[in-house]
Amino acid sequence: MYATPDQFSAASKASVEAFVGLASTQFAAIERMTTLSLNAGKAAFDDSVGFTRSLLGAKDVQEVVNLNAAVAQPSMEKALAFSRSLYEVSTKTQGEVSKVFEAQAAELNKTVVSLLDKISKNAPAGSDVALAAVKSALAAANTAYDSFTKVAKQATELADANFVAATTAAKESVKRKTSR
């Protein structure tokens, strides 16, 4: 009925592994975001230098206007691509973190059910009502967790759809403005 040192050791190891997994996921996400940011910064700097050189070589006002119009759409597309990449990294990281938490919740649930089963075998007469109440509360908590998970997934899908729609609208807006 009582937990053995091996059970505590196994639970501790599993918790440490879960923490290490989460930390690794976060560091990988930070690394990807940093790389994206550095590459975007370098590209923006290179583009600015090229644009400045083009402006300095312009012979009249019309050429300056044409250069400004020519740089607007590519710049916006690069900014949108950067935002999309950051969003993809964030979404992927959130999914990985969710998987770890779901696995931990499932393992905790399994452990609690196992513990309740062991307790019920050795419980004194008349404690059936209390054990049934605990099992009922556990089932209700699992149902609430499942509902929350479904709602969170739906919200993520909606946010994804909104992000795609906003990106498309921004691209179309830039195309319309630069084609005038």
Side-chain angles (χ1 to χ4, degrees), residues 55 57-69:
L55 282 177
K59 295 178 180 46
D60 59 17
V61 174
Q62 185 58 42
E63 191 173 348
V64 170
V65 171
N66 291 341
L67 285 171
N68 281 326

Side-chain angles (χ1 to χ4, degrees), residues 98-146:
S98 293
K99 286 178 187 177
V100 170
F101 281 120
E102 287 173 7
Q104 289 294 307
E107 186 61 32
L108 177 64
N109 187 35
K110 181 179 154 186
T111 302
V112 170
V113 168
S114 174
L115 178 63
L116 287 175
D117 287 342
K118 286 180 184 179
I119 290 172
S120 66
K121 289 178 184 174
N122 298 319
S127 62
D128 297 346
V129 174
L131 286 172
V134 170
K135 286 183 180 181
S136 176
L138 182 62
N142 286 334
T143 301
Y145 177 77
D146 290 342

Side-chain angles (χ1 to χ4, degrees), residues 24-38 89:
S24 296
T25 298
Q26 293 300 316
F27 281 123
I30 291 168
E31 181 180 24
R32 289 189 300 264
M33 287 182 173
T34 302
T35 300
L36 282 170
S37 295
L38 287 173
V89 169

